[in-house]
Structures are given as structure tokens and as C-alpha cells.
Amino acid sequence: MIRREFIESFSSLFAGLLSFPITVFAKFLNIQNAGSTILIKNLITGSEPKKIRYKNFYNEIYISLIEFSTATNYRTYTNSSKRKTVLYLDRDKIKFTAENGFVLLNDQLYNYPYEPVWVEGEIWVCARILAELFNDNTSHKMSFDKANREFIIGKKEVNISNINITSKDNGTLIHIYSDKQFTDKDISLKITNDWFYIDIYGAKVDSDALASRETAGIISEIQVIPFEQSVSFAFKLSRSVESKELIFSDDSNDFYVNLRTSGRQAREDKSKDDLEKQKEAWMVDTIVIDPGHGGKDPGAIGYGNVKEKDIVLAVALKLGEIIQKRLPDVKVIYTRDRDVFPPLWKRTKIANENNGKLFVSLHCNSNNSSRAAGFETFFLSSEKDDKARDVVLMENESIRFESADDQKRYEGINFVLATLAQNAFLKYSQYFASLVQKSLKSKLGPLGMKDRGVSQGPFWVMVGATMPNILIEMGFISNKYEAKLLKQKATQNKIADAICTGIVKYKNDFENAL
Ligand SMILES: [Zn+2]
């Protein structure tokens, strides 16, 4: 079956990419426009439009969540010591943390470049992002018109507003909240393989919002696939079903599907404990360090015959050591810790098998021109920036050193398909890349090394890793000055320290948002 959400996240991602590098490195701009206001229109309540103040940060319009909630009659909760505010908008809940790029919307983490700020003892958020988050992920229709300074809240046109799954003694009950009167002619139920489908003719839904509903009982996953005339709800079953029945409500347009199972229920409802476990599973507790090349693959050979494989191994080991010091609870996994060559596919396999939460691949750059210089950080994408082309070609060359059998693994695989599994992590990888690059800049800039920025590219070594991952080119060993620097222990320590700082910031931001 087509995984629709993958395709969507794939296309929506590029819009976000455009603005990213500028904002991350943008100077913290705070132009106070005293008396400037935006108009909030709530079409759901139909109340009188209200004006609230705004401020400019990072060249974007920021609004106070508290003022926003007062103007819209929605509830907020603020924890001042943690600088967090939760906004409750009907049944949607969004949590912002000051100076943190992660946002928790209905227990789902999102990452975006415009961090909330803490001003006048309260949280201010980017109006455009607030609208985008709700609009893309909930049944709310929201838009922010920057030119006219108008923020509009509405509802998407839907007739099935919600689904709720509960675990019962004799099975699992699916409650479908409907505004339209459907009959059994409109609804078909079927079970194929391990999936249970409810197809509803004439249904209109907000598929993203419904697909993210909590699962329970024998249902472990929900997918919502809208077609032109109908909507198909697909529920992944963890146990076989004995019988299924459709029940219409007596006092509303809602209806229910009961999936009967024999014997006792294996799993209880998702409780708070489960949520805690889920959070634990997300913790950044294992970091995979991948020193590029090795063994028969020397990588680039630079000035004075210095080999890429040796420099990256030295930095990798130092990085692992620093991580253990600064984050003693974190497990460090190396794809190699000596002068050997693991094939590229095996490196991501090691990362996945060890439940890695971040994957860091270390490399040195090289160019025919000895003047090429600087450090840069890449994240995996099937798209590549122009300036990434040479690096992608060079790093993917490692495949030459793999056995004929191993090389076959890469044949005929479409890169777009191969990177799909990574898309869920793309924004995280991008954010992680920006933090590491920024931190490298503060350590290597003073040595006269150039900041080449963050780029994206299709690197084989990163394909298949189910975690955010980045590839760092620490400098050009084809450049006399940088080759000398990179050979020095002092520089290697600086690089390792800088990467670790990026990891610490990422880990803090990510975990604080949970
Ligand atoms: Zn390399």
C-alpha cells in the first residue's frame, strides 16, 4: 500500500528548506515596533476580531501566546521556571519551549527554525509557524497573512471529525465521529493481511489529524487515505479478529465498529506509563560515530601524503571520549575503531542494530585546487545542492572498495526510494547539522578556517539509518594550511569538542521539548 504520509512529508519539506540556513545563522534581530498590531479573526467562534501586539525577531513576526489565547478564548498553561507554555485549542494541544527548536503538537514532535523567545516574562512564537503547524497537522484551518497582518482561524471542511479507539474486554471498539448521516450502503468493512479497512463513501476528513490519533487494543497503527469520492481508514492489527460489526448511534450521526477477539485482551489501553515509555524510547541515549573510509580505502590523500582515514579515526575516538565525559549516560558506538573498512551498508546496519539516536559520519574534503578550503556539514537528502556535487561523488566512491557482492546492493536502487525512510528524520538531521556547523564555526573560525555552511546530498553511507544523521567534512586536506591543522592533535580536539557541543545542544533541545 502507498504510504501517503511519506510522500507528503517529502514534498512539504522543500518549502521549509529554503528559509532554513538564513534564519539559523541570522543575527538575533529585535526591532521593536511599539503600537504595531495584528488582527486575529476566529471564524469558529465568530467573535469580534481582536488586535494583539507583535514583535519582530529573526525577521519574522512573533506574537505572545498569552495574548493570542486571550484574544481567541483558548486556554494556556505556562511553566515560568521551565519557560514553557501549552496552548489548548479545542482538542489540540501545542507546547512551546523558549529557545528550543522543537515543538510538541498532540504528542508529536516537530522541528522548525524559528525558536520561541522569552520576553516580558512570557513566551512569544513565530505567527507564521504557529499557523503552519496547526494547518498542516490538525483539523484547524489556520493562516497568517503577513502583508495584511491578519491571523485567521477556521475549520477544514470535514464530515468525519474524529476517531477514537478503545480497548474492551471482548475486543476493540472504533468510534467514528460524524457530522453526516451515513448508512451501511456507504460503509464497507474488510480485512486483508493484517490490516482492517473501513471505506466510507462520501466522507471528508483531515487525514493527517486522524492518522495521528492514539491507538489501543489490537490496533497498532492508523492510516487514512482520502480518495476523490471516499476515504479509506486502514488499521494495522496486532491480533486476528473473530468477528466485526457496524453499529449506528441512536442519538447522533456517529457510528462504531466493534472488532471482537477471542480470549482476554493482550494489551490494555495506552496509559500514561506507555507514554513515558515512548518518551524514554526517544531519548538521545546512543550516538553512532562513523569515521569514514578505513583499511583498503584511504579516502582522500592530501598534502604531505596525509590520509583522510587516519585523521577521521583520530577525531572519532576523541569525540567518543569527550561524549563519555560530557554525557556519561550516553552510549557511544563506533562503526570502526581501528584501521579497517566496513562496507557502507554495514555502517548504517550497525547504527540501527544498536538503536542509535544520532549518526555522525566524519570525513575530510579534497579538491584539485589547493586553494579550496573550509569545513561543512551535510545531511542526507535525495536532493543535492550544487556545491554538494563534488563531495557526494567523492564520498560515494568508497563503494569501489567493497566486494562485488556488496556492490550489487547499490545497483538499481532508486535513491529517492532509498532515502524515503530517512524523510521522517530530515528536519531533525537538518537542525542537528545546523547546530554542529555553528559550533564548528566558533572553534575553527578563529583558526582562519572558512565556514562553508550546511548542505544536503545523497550519500550512500547515510541511506538506511533510521535516525537523524549528518556527514561532516572537517576541512580540505588538499590545502596545505588545513592539512597541517587537521594533522595536529590540538585541532582534532577542537573539532571533536565542537561536534560534541552540537550533540549536547541537540539532545537538550530535543529532550526538553518532550
Ligand atoms: Zn570521505
Side-chain angles (χ1 to χ4, degrees):
M1 104 180 264
I2 295 171
R3 309 273 306 211
R4 198 176 143 270
E5 72 273 26
F6 276 157
I7 297 164
E8 284 198 340
S9 68
F10 199 61
S11 56
S12 69
L13 142 161
F14 297 109
L17 287 183
L18 295 172
S19 55
F20 191 80
I22 314 159
T23 56
V24 168
F25 303 112
K27 267 180 81 182
F28 189 72
L29 264 181
N30 183 2
I31 307 157
Q32 304 272 357
N33 290 327
S36 307
T37 55
I38 66 167
L39 198 63
I40 309 270
K41 290 182 181 168
N42 191 339
L43 304 180
I44 303 170
T45 57
S47 57
E48 195 66 21
K50 292 200 177 72
K51 282 181 177 175
I52 64 169
R53 297 178 302 150
Y54 74 83
K55 294 177 188 288
N56 283 308
F57 296 105
Y58 306 110
N59 287 325
E60 286 282 331
I61 288 186
Y62 273 58
I63 51 174
S64 143
L65 260 199
I66 309 276
E67 283 180 33
F68 176 81
S69 72
T70 311
T72 49
N73 279 327
Y74 293 115
R75 193 162 61 85
T76 58
Y77 164 78
T78 298
N79 182 330
S80 297
S81 63
K82 290 188 171 171
R83 299 189 167 194
K84 282 180 193 226
T85 294
V86 186
L87 171 70
Y88 298 89
L89 218 145
D90 299 333
R91 49 164 212 277
D92 296 315
K93 178 177 101 177
I94 190 162
K95 182 157 94 184
F96 290 97
T97 312
E99 275 91 53
N100 190 329
F102 290 102
V103 173
L104 196 62
L105 172 60
N106 296 331
D107 296 325
Q108 189 83 32
L109 262 186
Y110 297 88
N111 169 242
Y112 71 93
Y114 301 91
E115 294 177 353
V117 295
W118 189 261
V119 178
E120 297 170 2
E122 56 179 294
I123 215 152
W124 292 67
V125 301
C126 174
R128 189 171 60 79
I129 297 289
L130 179 68
E132 224 173 86
L133 277 167
F134 273 100
N135 196 61
D136 295 351
N137 306 295
T138 73
S139 59
H140 284 97
K141 195 169 158 182
M142 270 198 200
S143 61
F144 176 58
D145 181 347
K146 196 174 174 179
N148 294 315
R149 305 275 191 266
E150 272 185 6
F151 196 108
I152 299 159
I153 305 165
K155 281 261 183 218
K156 288 175 186 163
E157 200 200 318
V158 297
N159 52 29
I160 291 187
S161 59
N162 199 4
I163 46 179
N164 185 34
I165 303 168
T166 45
S167 174
K168 303 280 174 198
D169 285 343
N170 58 350
T172 300
L173 186 70
I174 304 169
H175 179 179
I176 310 224
Y177 295 73
S178 172
D179 300 326
K180 182 183 167 177
Q181 193 171 17
F182 292 102
T183 67
D184 50 7
K185 273 189 206 145
D186 302 319
I187 301 164
S188 82
L189 312 177
K190 65 171 188 278
I191 294 174
T192 313
N193 297 323
D194 293 330
W195 288 84
F196 170 58
Y197 294 90
I198 307 178
D199 294 332
I200 309 168
Y201 185 81
K204 284 198 180 109
V205 296
D206 177 4
S207 46
D208 290 334
L210 294 186
S212 61
R213 292 285 156 241
E214 289 264 305
T215 57
I218 60 164
I219 291 167
S220 60
E221 192 185 330
I222 309 167
Q223 293 203 13
V224 183
I225 308 124
F227 296 100
E228 211 159 298
Q229 310 271 346
S230 67
V231 174
S232 183
F233 291 85
F235 302 91
K236 180 101 169 84
L237 303 172
S238 59
R239 283 176 68 192
S240 60
V241 169
E242 217 162 61
S243 68
K244 51 191 191 303
E245 53 193 328
L246 178 65
I247 308 148
F248 287 94
S249 165
D250 292 335
D251 50 12
S252 73
N253 290 323
D254 292 3
F255 55 93
Y256 303 84
V257 176
N258 192 27
L259 298 174
R260 273 181 205 281
T261 45
S262 58
R264 274 190 299 125
Q265 208 44 48
R267 283 211 300 160
E268 291 302 308
D269 273 0
K270 264 204 171 176
S271 61
K272 218 180 152 94
D273 278 359
D274 282 343
L275 200 65
E276 285 304 312
K277 269 184 211 146
Q278 212 180 316
K279 281 182 185 175
E280 252 166 52
W282 281 346
M283 291 293 172
V284 183
D285 55 4
T286 307
I287 291 161
V288 182
I289 306 176
D290 170 49
H293 316 278
K296 59 192 168 185
D297 172 12
I301 297 177
Y303 189 85
N305 225 17
V306 59
K307 293 189 184 84
E308 178 183 0
K309 67 171 184 177
D310 296 328
I311 293 174
V312 297
L313 180 60
V315 173
L317 296 174
K318 190 73 203 172
L319 173 59
E321 199 186 304
I322 297 175
I323 292 172
Q324 297 295 219
K325 237 180 251 162
R326 291 174 65 182
L327 302 167
D329 296 334
V330 163
K331 198 160 101 191
V332 174
I333 303 286
Y334 298 95
T335 56
R336 70 177 180 98
D337 55 6
R338 65 222 131 88
D339 190 19
V340 291
F341 177 74
L344 300 187
W345 62 267
K346 204 165 184 178
R347 299 178 191 238
T348 47
K349 190 164 175 266
I350 292 170
N352 291 339
E353 281 174 357
N354 284 285
N355 264 325
K357 301 298 170 52
L358 287 176
F359 184 89
V360 182
S361 194
L362 300 172
H363 293 262
C364 294
N365 218 334
S366 170
N367 197 286
N368 286 334
S369 159
S370 60
R371 275 186 313 199
F375 53 92
E376 57 195 314
T377 308
F378 294 86
F379 59 95
L380 174 73
S381 150
S382 57
E383 291 284 295
K384 57 176 173 281
D385 301 335
D386 266 354
K387 64 171 182 145
R389 211 187 55 222
D390 293 347
V391 177
V392 168
L393 281 175
M394 199 172 60
E395 300 301 359
N396 285 348
E397 271 284 278
S398 279
I399 292 172
R400 278 193 304 125
F401 294 94
E402 303 194 4
S403 69
D405 268 358
D406 280 345
Q407 286 194 25
K408 280 203 187 109
R409 287 171 183 266
Y410 308 99
E411 274 172 22
I413 299 177
N414 181 324
F415 227 112
V416 174
L417 289 177
T419 50
L420 275 181
Q422 253 296 309
N423 284 337
F425 305 102
L426 212 135
K427 290 221 158 186
Y428 301 149
S429 300
Q430 188 182 29
Y431 182 61
F432 181 36
S434 75
L435 293 176
V436 167
Q437 182 68 16
K438 200 169 152 188
S439 167
L440 282 169
K441 187 184 178 182
S442 73
K443 289 273 180 187
L444 300 181
L447 301 178
M449 287 179 75
K450 192 179 135 200
D451 170 14
R452 297 171 68 92
V454 170
S455 305
Q456 52 182 324
F459 295 96
W460 277 118
V461 70
M462 296 149 98
V463 167
T466 50
M467 67 204 73
N469 61 20
I470 59 169
L471 184 146
I472 303 167
E473 294 284 353
M474 323 191 268
F476 283 77
I477 53 172
S478 48
N479 177 298
K480 186 178 171 185
Y481 176 66
E482 293 196 349
K484 274 187 175 169
L485 275 180
L486 290 166
K487 264 201 296 194
Q488 288 168 8
K489 272 267 162 298
T491 317
Q492 293 174 359
N493 293 352
K494 275 188 182 166
I495 292 172
D497 194 54
I499 297 169
C500 188
T501 300
I503 291 171
V504 171
K505 165 86 172 136
Y506 177 90
K507 179 175 159 67
N508 283 341
D509 280 3
F510 187 84
E511 290 174 359
N512 283 340
L514 292 176

